[in-house]
Amino acid sequence: MSKEALENFPDLSKHHSFMKQHMTKEIYAAYYGQKTNNGVTLDHCIQTGIDDPTLDVGMVAGDAESYTKFKDVFFPVVKSYHNGYDPSKDTHPLPDVLDPDAIPDTPLDDKYIISSRMRIGRSIGDFAFAPSCTRRQRREVERIATEALKGLTGEIKGEYHPISGMTPEEEEKLISDHYLFAKPASDFMRNAGMGRDWPDSRGIYYNEGKTFLVWVNEEDHLRIVSMQKGADFKAVFTRFCQGVNQMRKQLKAAGHNFQSSPSLGYLCTCPTNLGTSLRCSVHIKLTKLCEDPRFKDIVKKLRLDKRGTGGEYRASAGPDIFDLSNLDRLGKTESELVQLVYNAVKLLIEMEKRLEAGKSIDDLVPK
Ligand code: ADP
Ligand code: MG
């Protein structure tokens, strides 16, 4: 082990992340000085985890190659986060086109569900990801993305709006209406370097009803989003599939692919988003159930993630309103994950109704 590598080993004594768990001096030293083709080092990938000891994962990828170049850390981290999925032997399904027919037609109850949203992240070309890209790469991503977006047709036809061209009021309105991402404010994003050069090359595309949106150069090169008020999963997923399929086709025609690998699926900045990178979420009001001491455990058992409705690291609209979404993204298809959220949310609503009627939910609580 080189003396210089050991002298640079980070102090992780107060950390509890998966990165800390799987990072040894031997691994760190073995990778010391190694770089991907984009110049990304292991230190770049773990910087955000070092700077914030409270993080659960503790690392991001600077580019697609980071995942394999530094795989002795990334693979065990992926396995720990993704419920035992093992990238050294498991494979992720990568369907060529997404098929909305797999989802049930029956909307869930919109007395409880305020809105539904599905998003994926995608990386294009061989450009580095947000934590490590150069200004030129970020601008190229925007150029390629906006060219492709011009080709979208039908319900998802819309326009691209660079953030640099918005007034502060326009920007704030889009953020508070849940459409647009904000300048990175969380320690996680800032420490990873994702706020560099803000707002250069960042922007949003949306259709007239703002039910289909594409974020350019936030945490991932692209975030493709379908959302609407209420609980009609089928409508949201149908538009989502249309958007992803059309975007892929347009990019392909211009000679660009979504970055993917058979074992890790679609490759995004955050290891939590590998696989489908799908987050299917509802904003849901569960006034009675959230008072039940088992609520947190029920949500976890249903493989759901609970956030504030203002977005990750932000507050909720009310004490009984939550953003619930699939915890898993890797090893299953997009349709399977949407179905999983549908079933889980259906069960939560059933529990809420029982509690409203003063009845027990004991038989509904997952073991
Ligand atoms: P992600 O990074 O998965 O896209 P964030 O937690 O960063 O999600 O949230 C991004 C934005 O999307 C926030 O404004 C959030 O309120 C909004 N959002 C997420 N889910 C929903 C939903 N089901 N309905 C309405 N807005 C949503
Ligand atoms: Mg986010």
Side-chain angles (χ1 to χ4, degrees), residues 79-100:
K79 193 171 173 189
S80 295
Y81 179 83
H82 290 279
N83 215 11
Y85 180 98
D86 184 351
S88 59
K89 58 177 202 305
D90 294 331
T91 53
H92 176 80
L94 286 168
D96 271 348
V97 286
L98 298 185
D99 175 16

Side-chain angles (χ1 to χ4, degrees), residues 122-155:
R122 289 288 184 266
S123 311
I124 54 178
D126 54 1
F127 305 114
F129 300 165
S132 300
C133 66
T134 62
R135 279 174 217 113
R136 186 192 70 80
Q137 287 181 326
R138 202 188 291 112
R139 288 169 188 162
E140 270 297 283
V141 167
E142 186 189 40
R143 188 189 62 75
I144 292 166
T146 49
E147 272 309 307
L149 287 164
K150 281 182 198 157
L152 305 192
T153 55
E155 193 192 352

Side-chain angles (χ1 to χ4, degrees), residues 11-269:
D11 176 2
L12 299 171
S13 54
K14 296 206 168 53
H15 298 56
H16 67 264
S17 66
F18 292 135
M19 179 273 285
K20 179 240 172 95
Q21 205 175 307
H22 298 297
M23 177 71 79
T24 61
K25 286 190 173 151
E26 287 72 23
I27 292 177
Y28 181 81
Y31 288 137
Y32 194 76
Q34 291 197 36
K35 284 183 181 159
T36 68
N37 281 332
N38 283 303
V40 178
T41 63
L42 180 60
D43 266 311
H44 288 138
C45 300
I46 63 176
Q47 192 66 51
T48 190
I50 298 168
D51 293 347
D52 183 353
T54 69
L55 292 179
D56 294 331
V57 173
M59 67 193 303
V60 293
D63 61 1
E65 194 192 340
S66 306
Y67 284 111
T68 44
K69 184 100 191 169
F70 310 119
K71 76 176 187 342
D72 290 349
V73 196
F74 270 111
F75 281 20
V77 165
V78 167
K79 193 171 173 189
S80 295
Y81 179 83
H82 290 279
N83 215 11
Y85 180 98
D86 184 351
S88 59
K89 58 177 202 305
D90 294 331
T91 53
H92 176 80
L94 286 168
D96 271 348
V97 286
L98 298 185
D99 175 16
D101 288 341
I103 302 305
D105 282 324
T106 335
L108 291 163
D109 193 336
D110 56 14
K111 178 175 163 214
Y112 304 93
I113 298 183
I114 300 156
S115 52
S116 311
R117 177 178 185 263
M118 296 168 200
R119 66 85 164 147
I120 48 163
R122 289 288 184 266
S123 311
I124 54 178
D126 54 1
F127 305 114
F129 300 165
S132 300
C133 66
T134 62
R135 279 174 217 113
R136 186 192 70 80
Q137 287 181 326
R138 202 188 291 112
R139 288 169 188 162
E140 270 297 283
V141 167
E142 186 189 40
R143 188 189 62 75
I144 292 166
T146 49
E147 272 309 307
L149 287 164
K150 281 182 198 157
L152 305 192
T153 55
E155 193 192 352
I156 59 173
K157 186 176 169 54
E159 259 179 60
Y160 179 70
H161 309 265
I163 294 182
S164 59
M166 293 177 193
T167 65
E169 293 74 27
E170 284 166 342
E171 188 182 342
E172 189 43 47
K173 172 98 176 87
L174 284 169
I175 294 168
S176 57
D177 287 345
H178 304 288
Y179 297 125
L180 180 62
F181 51 100
K183 178 176 179 177
S186 67
D187 285 346
F188 161 70
M189 290 191 79
R190 297 228 319 237
N191 294 337
M194 293 194 251
R196 290 173 302 129
D197 308 307
W198 183 270
D200 194 334
S201 318
R202 274 77 164 199
I204 183 172
Y205 167 97
Y206 50 81
N207 66 354
E208 205 186 331
K210 298 201 187 78
T211 54
F212 179 78
L213 310 97
V214 179
W215 293 359
V216 177
N217 284 319
E218 193 238 13
E219 182 179 313
D220 292 309
H221 293 161
L222 302 176
R223 283 278 170 102
I224 304 178
V225 183
S226 170
M227 63 196 282
Q228 70 187 49
K229 297 260 185 285
D232 192 345
F233 264 45
K234 181 82 174 191
V236 178
F237 192 56
T238 303
R239 188 169 52 243
F240 173 80
C241 294
Q242 206 185 338
V244 176
N245 293 338
Q246 280 197 31
M247 195 59 188
R248 181 197 190 104
K249 204 170 148 208
Q250 289 299 322
L251 286 166
K252 204 165 183 145
H256 305 286
N257 283 319
F258 293 143
Q259 299 188 30
S260 69
S261 96
S263 59
L264 296 170
Y266 289 105
L267 301 164
C268 293
T269 299

